[in-house]
Amino acid sequence: MSMFSTGILVLTSPLHTLPLRIAPVLSSAAQLVERTLYVHLHPGLNLGSGSQPRPVFIPPVVDLSAVISRLYSNAANVCGHLDVRVLLTNVHAQSAACNGNQAIPNCPFPTPQSLSHSPEVVLTDFPLQDPGQSHQVKQCLQRYTGRCYVCSPSLHSELLYPQIMKLQEKEEGLKEPEEKAKPLETYSDVVVGGTFDRLHGAHRTLLNISCLLADRRFLIGVCDQAMLKKKVLKELIQPYSLRVQKLEEFLQDVKPSLNVEIVPLDDPFGASIVDPLLQCIVVSEETRKGGEAVNKKRAENGLPALILHEIQLLKDAHHTEIEEEKISSSSLRSRLLGTLLTPPKDTSHLPPLPYVIGLTGGSGSGKSSIARQLEALGAVRIDCDKLGHEVYQPGTAAYHRVLEEFGSDLLNEDKTINRRALGKKVFGNQERLKALTDIVWPEIALLVKSIISQAREEGKQVCVVDAAVLLEASWTDMVHEVWVTVIPEEEAVTRITERDGVTKEEALRRLQSQWSNSKQVEHANVVLSTLWQPEVTRKQVLKAWDLLQKRVQKRQQAQ
């Protein structure tokens, strides 16, 4: 069956039966939709009566909140590649009012709602009474969806039958709810805070339920630089502006009637402790104490306490030993390690083989240990630190130029250059340091190119240029891809002090004289980290190597 980029899934099952249906329905939908799946909840919608159903408001009830959580949890498990968005335009209390006392008419779509991604197919879980109904139900579904959303006139429609007999057997054991569905308390102004890096199922649950609770305004504090310092793999966190853009797009789709305000969060509280209009803060069991701290601050500021609406954390069925059990951004960032984050730049000026990786990273980051692992997998390792020693040898071009520039008092008794004495002459003097690197770096680059050329003659497929100064020296024109190793600064300081026997202050000075992790990651195609156990690093390197082989093979086929 053909695949569609974007689809709308209209769920018509009663809320008390939906939990059984969600996983198989999503699994079926994922066979047809490959990018964005909008979910429109309309329990009780009858597509088979022969008359055209019209969209109406459905009230916010407690069961709806539970279904939304279940839906995002199941989506993370069975179709994690899909961008799932639960639409709430048609969810509203019937007695709600807007614009003073003017009642909202009982139609949530006076005009069709425009979505960020144009739907190409509409799907439903509506069960047919007999196969002959199929064409009629599909037509009814298309007309209903076209009235709700801006869709193409040639919108495809599909009826999903996920393990329908098994589901019906299970559903027969479910009794109709004896009591009327319990209404969900809603509030004029609702607030949440978070990093919101790469929106995932837990974020979407938090945002959707907040939209469900908010009648007028939704205030979101998004962590800015000051709040990211302790985050795992903070270098891979998306820029603030991109995170805000993704939030705005998601919320505009989910509930366009809401007044959404997104503000930078530079401390744990932000506007939540000073805004008198706020009524409710949405928290998880993990962040409840934060919500209580907000209320303590509000009391100090003479403001009423916020209602704490707690949602459950979503379990991550795919987490590894270094990841959290809950769905989290830090786990998603760890899964990016070893993958291609940005496509390689144009390297048409380089021979296709050997494919050259430029591997760099700060002091203590484990760069050289990764280079040795790549060497064990078959790459030719080019150790630029070792080449750096070679260019200082007596008789070389760099040897004579260094003596001319910095004086013959640098010589040891055996006529070799005293690197420690040379270091003292350039330490803290950027002009003198540049004079030295202008001599040495081009000579190292010539040696690197010579080794790559030799590897080509020997038919080698991959070279790894292991170079701490790869980016500073502008050697990226010699490589097809840049790989960067990162670890937190405090971990790097610990490693340097243990390895080199220097003080913490000296280790910190060394790190601060180099490019920061974030600056290096800006130039990276692939990022790796040795923060965890060696076995975790090995898995990253193997993943990176396997993906690299596919890129090299694809490049060869293209040429």
Side-chain angles (χ1 to χ4, degrees):
M1 204 171 278
S2 60
M3 290 287 284
F4 302 93
S5 176
T6 303
I8 296 179
L9 171 61
V10 180
L11 291 175
T12 66
S13 301
L15 286 181
H16 74 287
T17 66
L18 256 181
L20 285 177
R21 287 179 169 258
I22 289 172
V25 166
L26 286 174
S27 183
S28 297
Q31 294 174 34
L32 295 166
V33 179
E34 54 189 357
R35 189 181 69 173
T36 305
L37 181 67
Y38 292 110
V39 179
H40 175 110
L41 294 163
H42 197 153
L45 181 71
N46 188 353
L47 297 170
S49 65
S51 61
Q52 183 61 39
R54 57 189 290 268
V56 295
F57 281 112
I58 60 173
V61 293
V62 173
D63 286 354
L64 193 58
S65 174
V67 163
I68 289 170
S69 295
R70 181 72 168 262
L71 206 150
Y72 281 117
S73 178
N74 285 168
N77 292 343
V78 303
C79 55
H81 65 289
L82 279 183
D83 173 2
V84 175
R85 306 182 182 193
V86 181
L87 304 172
L88 300 177
T89 305
N90 64 321
V91 179
H92 214 299
Q94 302 287 0
S95 60
C98 66
N99 300 328
N101 296 319
Q102 182 184 352
I104 298 176
N106 195 27
C107 178
F109 301 96
T111 59
Q113 178 183 336
S114 181
L115 298 169
S116 300
H117 306 284
S118 182
E120 299 165 7
V121 64
V122 56
L123 318 165
T124 187
D125 66 340
F126 183 78
L128 294 179
Q129 300 304 312
D130 65 75
Q133 274 190 308
S134 177
H135 181 67
Q136 174 192 319
V137 169
K138 282 186 178 185
Q139 283 190 323
C140 188
L141 176 63
Q142 286 170 323
R143 288 196 296 270
Y144 172 81
T145 309
R147 198 169 162 183
C148 298
Y149 306 102
V150 177
C151 302
S152 128
S154 58
L155 186 72
H156 296 267
S157 59
E158 296 288 343
L159 310 180
L160 301 177
Y161 303 103
Q163 306 167 11
I164 199 70
M165 295 308 294
K166 292 180 181 178
L167 283 173
Q168 284 176 342
E169 289 169 12
K170 288 181 181 178
E171 288 168 4
E172 282 171 5
L174 290 175
K175 294 181 180 178
E176 287 289 331
E178 293 179 6
E179 299 179 5
K180 190 178 177 182
K182 184 179 178 183
L184 186 70
E185 186 78 29
T186 60
Y187 308 91
S188 172
D189 295 63
V190 173
V191 64
V192 299
T195 307
F196 298 104
D197 179 40
R198 295 179 172 81
L199 289 182
H200 51 64
H203 289 143
R204 293 164 193 267
T205 304
L206 173 68
L207 294 168
N208 259 106
I209 290 178
S210 298
C211 287
L212 201 58
L213 296 169
D215 291 327
R216 185 184 75 89
R217 181 176 66 129
F218 183 19
L219 176 64
I220 308 171
V222 177
C223 293
D224 210 351
Q225 288 303 316
M227 293 287 289
L228 303 179
K229 291 178 180 176
K230 300 290 184 183
K231 297 288 184 183
V232 177
L233 297 171
K234 64 182 180 183
E235 300 83 5
L236 297 182
I237 294 176
Q238 293 173 323
Y240 174 84
S241 58
L242 180 58
R243 286 179 279 139
V244 169
Q245 178 191 327
K246 297 290 186 185
L247 273 172
E248 288 174 339
E249 179 193 295
F250 179 83
L251 293 168
Q252 181 62 27
D253 278 345
V254 168
K255 195 171 181 180
S257 62
L258 264 188
N259 175 13
V260 174
E261 292 180 27
I262 301 176
V263 295
L265 200 56
D266 296 312
D267 62 60
F269 302 106
S272 67
I273 61 172
V274 294
D275 191 324
L277 297 177
L278 293 174
Q279 295 178 330
C280 171
I281 184 169
V282 185
V283 297
S284 68
E285 50 211 276
E286 189 180 65
T287 61
R288 185 176 183 87
K289 286 186 178 178
E292 292 168 352
V294 164
N295 276 339
K296 187 176 178 183
K297 290 280 188 182
R298 284 180 70 87
E300 292 171 6
N301 292 337
L303 294 174
L306 301 178
I307 300 295
L308 267 61
H309 185 97
E310 185 177 319
I311 62 172
Q312 288 187 329
L313 294 170
L314 299 193
K315 298 293 184 184
D316 187 346
H318 308 291
H319 75 277
T320 67
E321 68 271 21
I322 67 165
E323 297 171 354
E324 298 177 89
E325 287 189 14
K326 63 171 186 174
I327 295 176
S328 73
S329 297
S330 58
S331 295
L332 295 185
R333 289 194 295 275
S334 73
R335 291 171 200 175
L336 294 174
L337 296 172
T339 66
L340 191 67
L341 298 179
T342 57
K345 62 183 183 185
D346 178 24
T347 54
S348 54
H349 64 286
L350 295 175
L353 291 176
Y355 198 82
V356 184
I357 301 302
L359 178 64
T360 192
S363 186
S365 65
K367 166 183 62 67
S368 293
S369 69
I370 287 176
R372 286 191 288 272
Q373 291 183 48
L374 291 169
E375 184 178 28
L377 290 168
V380 174
R381 180 189 173 205
I382 303 173
D383 185 345
C384 289
D385 190 46
K386 183 179 176 184
L387 297 181
H389 288 281
E390 289 183 20
V391 300
Y392 284 104
Q393 292 304 308
T396 62
Y399 174 86
H400 294 298
R401 288 183 62 196
V402 168
L403 293 181
E404 287 173 13
E405 181 72 32
F406 295 96
S408 58
D409 58 323
L410 292 173
L411 290 176
N412 295 314
E413 289 183 8
D414 61 359
K415 302 298 181 184
T416 57
I417 291 174
N418 186 322
R419 299 274 297 276
R420 186 178 292 272
L422 178 58
K424 287 179 180 177
K425 288 198 175 192
V426 301
F427 182 75
N429 187 326
Q430 288 300 315
E431 189 177 328
R432 299 303 283 152
L433 179 60
K434 185 176 186 308
L436 177 61
T437 57
D438 283 350
I439 294 170
V440 175
W441 285 352
E443 295 299 320
I444 296 174
L446 286 173
L447 293 177
V448 170
K449 289 175 181 176
S450 175
I451 297 171
I452 292 172
S453 181
Q454 183 182 340
R456 186 177 307 113
E457 290 174 10
E458 294 172 0
K460 302 295 186 183
Q461 295 284 304
V462 178
C463 287
V464 175
V465 179
D466 176 359
V469 297
L470 181 87
L471 299 174
E472 294 94 321
S474 298
W475 290 343
T476 52
D477 64 339
M478 298 191 296
V479 305
H480 295 93
E481 291 181 18
V482 174
W483 292 16
V484 172
T485 61
V486 296
I487 57 168
E489 186 178 84
E490 56 271 24
E491 174 65 18
V493 167
T494 300
R495 292 184 185 184
I496 294 167
T497 54
E498 290 176 356
R499 183 188 68 192
D500 300 341
V502 298
T503 64
K504 286 186 177 180
E505 291 73 21
E506 287 172 324
L508 200 53
R509 273 200 301 273
R510 187 184 302 179
L511 288 171
Q512 289 171 348
S513 71
Q514 302 170 352
W515 280 23
S516 67
N517 283 346
S518 296
K519 190 174 179 181
Q520 293 194 59
V521 167
E522 286 175 13
H523 296 265
N525 301 109
V526 174
V527 175
L528 300 157
S529 179
T530 62
L531 179 59
W532 301 278
Q533 298 89 343
E535 181 55 34
V536 175
T537 303
R538 277 194 289 273
K539 287 179 181 177
Q540 280 178 41
V541 174
L542 276 173
K543 175 165 69 172
W545 179 258
D546 289 343
L547 292 172
L548 172 67
Q549 298 308 304
K550 291 176 183 176
R551 293 199 291 279
V552 172
Q553 187 178 19
K554 190 175 180 181
R555 184 186 174 94
Q556 286 178 293
Q557 289 171 348
Q559 293 178 344

